[in-house]
Amino acid sequence: MEKKLKDLREEYLKIPIPKELNDVVQAALNEKPRKKPRVGRNILVSAAAALLIVTASVNISPAAAKAMSDIPIVEKVIKVITFVEWKEEANNSSAVIKTPAISGLENKQLEDSLNDKYLSESKQLYKEFTDSMSKLKEGEKGNLSVESGYVILTDNETILSVQRYTDTIQASSSTESQFDTVDKKNEVLLTLNSLFKDDRYLQVISENIKEQMKRQMAEDPEKIYWVEDDDFTAFKGIDENQNFYINEDGKLVIAFNSYEAAPGYMGAVEFIIPTKVLSDLLVGDQYIH
């Protein structure tokens, strides 16, 4: 047991956040090299300390050793941390951009591709903000607010679902999000299409969402969705690239950005799809149940 814990500790401490990511951040911000963010190091130190405490308790107490022998060894620890945070204020405008990073995947190709994507998105958002500020005339106010961050929607033994969002306010407001759902056991990125036997799910989910839209509007006059058949802007249906995630209850959630399915005042909207509607179409029930 002690050897297994020691091996686990050594393996966890070896998990890197790619140096290339930090290099790109520094280049994007035109800053002198800084110390690596301490948050990642703190997590590793905490993990190491926890392992040492467990090891000590096993050596001291035979009862503890027996109890530990019945507990499966944790083979890997997958975490999402804030890799870098950018803040900028100028011309009555502000931007706060938090970039997540995933660590602990044995599939380094997947880990690096996700982290590269997150960093690229943040770089582009930061560039758009600074470009917007550079176009202002002297003394002109930008009146622009950009806030970008992430939310861990689901983190259990099977899946990790992460949402990256951007809230933009300038005269009006809008919210845009992207979602990634990772199978933690097999270390693959799940797509909406991969969850189903064939493409029949597209129509089934679309019809269910339309039903939910109409029911919500009937129950609450404050809610409006673009679902009327004679409206040229009406919601027609989802496609295989539709935003989605799987929540903690194992339910499929279809997500829409601002203005995609409803007026702007409704903001971003989501619909939980009942599993009984999908059960005959699913490849299996390991994700959605």
Side-chain angles (χ1 to χ4, degrees), residues 163-177:
Q163 173 191 13
R164 286 113 52 232
Y165 66 86
T166 301
D167 293 328
T168 304
I169 301 176
Q170 190 175 39
S172 61
S173 64
S174 66
T175 299
E176 294 187 2
S177 294

Side-chain angles (χ1 to χ4, degrees), residues 89-101:
E89 291 188 11
N91 301 313
N92 201 41
S93 300
S94 64
V96 178
I97 303 172
K98 293 181 180 179
T99 305

Side-chain angles (χ1 to χ4, degrees), residues 185-199:
K185 292 183 177 180
N186 297 304
E187 299 204 353
V188 294
L189 186 66
L190 299 179
T191 64
L192 190 58
N193 194 53
S194 69
L195 300 173
F196 298 94
K197 299 174 183 176
D198 51 53
D199 62 4

Side-chain angles (χ1 to χ4, degrees), residues 110-147:
L110 174 60
E111 181 177 292
D112 291 346
S113 67
L114 289 172
N115 290 340
D116 287 345
K117 178 176 68 172
Y118 299 157
L119 189 58
S120 178
E121 291 171 350
S122 292
K123 280 180 56 185
Q124 180 61 31
L125 192 59
Y126 181 83
K127 182 179 184 301
E128 290 172 358
F129 177 81
T130 55
D131 285 350
S132 178
M133 293 301 99
S134 67
K135 294 177 182 178
L136 295 175
K137 298 178 182 179
E138 186 175 354
E140 186 178 1
K141 302 295 185 181
N143 299 318
L144 171 64
S145 173
V146 177
E147 181 178 349

